[in-house]
Amino acid sequence: MTDLLAMPDDALVRVLALLPPREVFRLRLVCRRLRDLSLHPDVWRSVSLRGGDQGLLQAALRLAPCLRKVSLRSPHLQAAACTVCNSKCVVTDLKLSVQNETDAAWATAIVQRLSTLGGLREITLLLNPAAPDALHPLLRMVYCVQDLRVLRIRINSDMSELPPLLSDLEPRPSLTTLHYEGAASDPFLCFLLRTHAATLEDVDLYLKDGLPTSLLKSLPRLRSLTCFPTDDLSQLKSLPNLETLGLLDLEVQDAPCPGTVDFLLQGPRLRHVEFHLKPNRPIVGAALLEALAQSPSAPVLERLSLKGVGEWPVAAALHRFPSLQALALVLDAMPSDDFFRAVSPASTPRLATLQLVPHGCPHAWLHDPAVQDVLARNAGLHLRLSGPPTLEDDCACRWCLWRCHRDELRTHAGLQSAFSAHTRRPGCPRDCRRWL
């Protein structure tokens, strides 16, 4: 303790920031200096707490100057609301799970108090079925939070009859990221898109019934859009700054939506595309990939992430994407040797990262001749394993039985490394690891 107190204040604050919050509170009792330094904002700026540890959360809300994130669920909302009413703790990220009308009232009080303290930049709301009238005060309060940057909402209620949310003091446009899950485009979503049209950049819309295309077209800074495949996408072909598109297919479709295909064929020049499709409908994935390969995006596409698309359409389309730098595939089986042969300096000259799901023992998979061959032929390629993969203690593959690399893979990032045929050099990932 004497050596610890000999440190200067700024160094001591850094040490305290590495301790668990409960230990920081215990150190407050040692001396006046630690009492004061333990409440320094830098000690608490990156701390995240949950309502389950009720005593610790209440102590932090009463004493700490700030917190990075607070997550609260139904049983803890009332206690947190009673503590927050007299708190001066600035919370940056707030996550609330609301189960009923009572929860909605307590959540409204929490948002109101934390917004008045300033510093609230992210809000996540998980709203289970409830009457729109019960959720109206909470949504109105969230809508009026000033300088909010990120808003994530999941609503499991029909919000089509939601009362107007306009207030005397409308918030300044500030949202840059909006994640919205609901049955359809409802009044609250329209208010958000209209109010923050000047600042929104990333929009994720999990809407089962269409898109608010007229509002999305009025977002001049929109650069990332995630949604279900829908015919409405064809109306967004003129978005000037859109660079990232995610298609998340949760509905049964036997053929691709013509509007989605038309958007890919004639839409903006995309640099990052993700298909998250059902694996039992390969025709849909193949048609969407073919449309992308024929589009103006093909020459400039840099990142491609595919789930639900067979390996053969991917292998056939690789040469259409000369600027591709990262490719991630989720397949039901290990890619064939023909697929690995299709990955070559001629077809993918700029490919730096190939991410695949290992099937079976990942250790044995890394020793597969096709895997080693693709690394040897592509000098700048890094192979990553999705998962995260793990090594089983009782694995019976010959490589684990021989203990080849086994202990080594359990340390130094292990299977999380970026495997390559070269030693780490400028431009490589930090975890680049020579495998051959």
Side-chain angles (χ1 to χ4, degrees):
M1 182 60 68
T2 303
D3 294 338
L4 181 68
L5 294 177
M7 300 172 64
D9 286 356
D10 56 345
L12 193 52
V13 166
R14 288 175 176 266
V15 172
L16 293 176
L18 299 176
L19 298 177
R22 195 177 299 277
E23 299 301 324
V24 175
F25 281 131
R26 289 175 178 172
L27 282 177
R28 291 187 71 246
L29 306 178
V30 174
C31 64
R32 292 182 179 180
R33 185 182 176 212
L34 286 178
R35 180 197 64 187
D36 296 336
L37 291 180
S38 65
L39 298 183
H40 192 283
D42 289 344
V43 175
W44 297 93
R45 206 179 304 278
S46 61
V47 173
S48 298
L49 295 177
R50 298 179 179 272
D53 200 339
Q54 188 170 331
L56 179 59
L57 177 60
Q58 290 182 351
L61 290 175
R62 287 196 304 265
L63 299 172
C66 58
L67 290 172
R68 171 66 185 92
K69 183 175 182 179
V70 171
S71 301
L72 299 169
R73 302 181 64 183
S74 179
H76 314 114
L77 288 171
Q78 180 177 356
C82 296
T83 304
V84 163
C85 66
N86 295 317
S87 173
K88 295 183 179 180
C89 179
V90 176
V91 176
T92 303
D93 187 352
L94 178 64
K95 181 178 180 180
L96 301 174
S97 179
V98 174
Q99 301 290 334
N100 49 52
E101 297 181 6
T102 303
D103 287 348
W106 293 121
T108 302
I110 293 172
V111 174
Q112 181 179 15
R113 176 56 182 169
L114 293 180
S115 64
T116 60
L117 295 174
L120 190 58
R121 297 293 179 263
E122 300 183 30
I123 294 180
T124 300
L125 293 180
L126 307 179
L127 307 177
N128 289 309
D133 290 342
L135 296 177
H136 176 263
L138 174 58
L139 296 180
R140 179 186 177 98
M141 184 58 60
V142 171
Y143 173 73
C144 293
V145 174
Q146 299 289 344
D147 299 322
L148 194 64
R149 298 288 187 267
V150 179
L151 179 59
R152 305 178 187 91
I153 295 183
R154 185 180 70 197
I155 299 180
N156 294 323
S157 302
D158 181 8
M159 305 301 292
S160 58
E161 302 300 326
L162 187 72
L165 293 174
L166 292 178
S167 62
D168 297 334
L169 179 62
E170 293 188 12
R172 298 182 298 272
S174 62
L175 276 184
T176 59
T177 300
L178 175 62
H179 178 106
Y180 200 94
E181 298 183 42
S185 178
D186 55 58
F188 185 54
L189 173 60
C190 294
F191 276 124
L192 293 172
L193 292 175
R194 191 176 297 112
T195 300
H196 301 279
T199 56
L200 275 171
E201 298 178 1
D202 305 308
V203 176
D204 300 337
L205 298 180
Y206 293 73
L207 305 177
K208 298 180 181 179
D209 187 13
L211 289 174
T213 53
S214 61
L215 294 173
L216 291 174
K217 287 191 293 186
S218 65
L219 306 182
R221 302 180 62 180
L222 184 64
R223 61 181 181 85
S224 174
L225 175 64
T226 300
C227 63
F228 295 143
T230 171
D231 285 332
D232 295 339
L233 268 176
S234 61
Q235 302 179 38
L236 302 178
K237 292 183 293 186
S238 60
L239 286 173
N241 297 315
L242 191 66
E243 295 183 346
T244 301
L245 175 69
L247 296 178
L248 309 178
D249 181 16
L250 299 181
E251 299 296 330
V252 176
Q253 286 181 307
D254 296 325
C257 297
T260 302
V261 173
D262 184 50
F263 173 84
L264 291 173
L265 284 171
Q266 305 181 42
R269 293 163 67 89
L270 302 170
R271 297 184 180 275
H272 178 203
V273 173
E274 177 179 355
F275 294 163
H276 193 92
L277 308 175
K278 290 293 185 64
N280 59 345
R281 294 193 303 280
I283 296 177
V284 175
L288 293 177
L289 183 61
E290 178 62 23
L292 181 64
Q294 299 179 20
S295 71
S297 303
V300 298
L301 190 70
E302 297 176 357
R303 292 185 294 163
L304 185 59
S305 179
L306 302 174
K307 180 179 181 180
V309 182
E311 65 170 73
W312 294 111
V314 178
L318 281 179
H319 70 281
R320 307 272 193 93
F321 307 115
S323 300
L324 190 64
Q325 300 176 18
L327 173 63
L329 288 179
V330 178
L331 302 173
D332 292 334
M334 180 177 175
S336 65
D337 293 354
D338 291 335
F339 171 81
F340 283 118
R341 281 193 289 268
V343 180
S344 68
S347 61
T348 55
R350 301 186 62 185
L351 189 64
T353 300
L354 175 61
Q355 183 169 331
L356 298 169
V357 178
H359 292 271
C361 176
H363 186 189
W365 192 82
L366 285 169
H367 280 283
D368 188 275
V371 173
Q372 301 221 346
D373 178 64
V374 75
L375 291 177
R377 287 186 295 102
N378 298 268
L381 184 64
H382 300 87
L383 178 65
R384 288 193 177 276
L385 307 185
S386 301
T390 56
L391 290 178
E392 300 295 336
D393 292 332
D394 57 349
C395 180
C397 82
R398 59 175 179 168
W399 302 104
C400 288
L401 291 176
W402 290 347
R403 304 189 68 83
C404 164
H405 294 105
R406 181 173 173 84
D407 295 333
E408 188 179 356
L409 289 176
R410 292 180 182 274
T411 61
H412 190 60
L415 293 171
Q416 302 298 314
S417 302
F419 297 97
S420 68
H422 57 267
T423 55
R424 186 171 180 267
R425 55 197 183 192
C428 283
R430 282 189 171 185
D431 56 352
C432 175
R433 173 192 184 86
R434 184 171 182 175
W435 182 248
L436 298 183

